[in-house]
């Protein structure tokens, strides 16, 4: 690369410096990117095969199953599953058609929508959970072990604090960090 191209490569469009990634940072980023692409289909395929439900729908129902009264606001549920309100709404329409969830105005504020897990949805989550947990354990938990799983959670929380702190707020209500 000639000197002029090298100089352009070290600046942004406004002329500011670009903090290029060091080789170890590139490696870590590429590994994380690959994991973000490879893990969801690996988890979802087991759920689909064993229970006929995809990973996103399972997470919605699992989140509801652990919420007080098996109910949550749509906004909190979207944060829990790290999805948009639009994606969640489409999934809820499918799940309502199957009798797994119901939507209703939230009693505390009729402008908000509450999602409730039905008995049929609860039965599906209960039936799917063992296979899901086995898959998660096989793909993530066992290869890392307990100590590294805690470290992974702490590292991911640091990134989520920047990317989407709402997810941390919602998860902390059900799964508070015990500090160990």
């Amino acid at each position: 690369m000639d000197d002029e191209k090298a100089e352009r490569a070290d600046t942004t469009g406004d002329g500011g410096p670009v903090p290029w990634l060091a080789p170890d940072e590139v490696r870590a980023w590429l590994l994380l990117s690959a994991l973000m692409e490879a893990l969801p289909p690996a988890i979802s395929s087991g759920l689909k095969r064993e229970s006929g439900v995809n990973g996103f729908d399972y997470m919605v129902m699992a989140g509801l199953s652990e919420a007080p009264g098996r109910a949550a606001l749509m906004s909190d549920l979207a944060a829990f599953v790290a999805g948009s309100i639009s994606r969640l709404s489409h999934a809820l329409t499918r799940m309502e058609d199957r009798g797994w969830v119901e939507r209703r105005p939230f009693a505390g504020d009729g402008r908000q929508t509450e999602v409730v897990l039905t008995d049929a949805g609860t039965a599906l989550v209960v039936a799917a959970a063992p296979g899901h947990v086995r898959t998660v354990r096989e793909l993530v938990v066992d290869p890392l072990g307990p100590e590294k799983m805690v470290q992974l959670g702490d590292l991911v929380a640091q990134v989520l604090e920047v990317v989407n702190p709402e997810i941390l707020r919602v998860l902390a209500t059900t799964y508070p960090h015990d500090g160990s």
Side-chain angles (χ1 to χ4, degrees):
M1 181 183 294
D2 64 27
D3 290 339
E4 181 182 337
K5 286 182 184 174
E7 187 175 311
R8 273 198 317 254
D10 288 336
T11 61
T12 61
D14 64 359
V18 175
W20 295 107
L21 301 178
D24 283 346
E25 292 170 326
V26 171
R27 177 183 178 278
W29 168 245
L30 292 175
L31 289 168
L32 177 60
S33 294
L35 179 63
M36 290 187 307
E37 293 297 323
L39 189 57
I43 300 272
S44 207
S45 68
L47 279 165
K48 195 76 167 159
R49 183 178 57 254
E50 294 178 18
S51 304
V53 63
N54 67 44
F56 188 80
D57 292 359
Y58 175 83
M59 289 303 295
V60 168
M61 291 186 286
L64 289 170
S65 75
E66 296 192 14
R70 298 186 323 198
L73 295 175
M74 269 189 70
S75 55
D76 288 346
L77 192 54
F80 179 85
V81 297
S84 67
I85 293 286
S86 176
R87 181 179 182 196
L88 177 60
S89 184
H90 288 294
L92 291 174
T93 297
R94 277 192 322 274
M95 289 188 270
E96 280 178 313
D97 290 346
R98 294 175 178 149
W100 298 339
V101 299
E102 296 174 353
R103 282 185 267 198
R104 64 185 180 203
F106 178 54
D109 178 355
R111 296 171 296 170
Q112 293 184 301
T113 301
E114 184 175 50
V115 183
V116 181
L117 187 65
T118 65
D119 290 342
T122 300
L124 178 63
V125 169
V126 168
H132 175 65
V133 170
R134 278 193 295 276
T135 301
V136 169
R137 180 165 290 288
E138 175 188 332
L139 297 178
V140 181
V141 176
D142 290 346
L144 293 179
E147 187 176 308
K148 287 184 180 175
M149 276 302 293
V150 171
Q151 291 172 350
L152 177 62
D154 291 343
L155 294 170
V156 170
Q158 286 179 313
V159 175
L160 281 174
E161 187 64 49
V162 176
V163 175
N164 192 336
E166 183 65 9
I167 295 170
L168 293 177
R169 182 192 67 77
V170 169
L171 289 177
T173 61
T174 306
Y175 304 100
H177 191 334
D178 68 5
S180 58

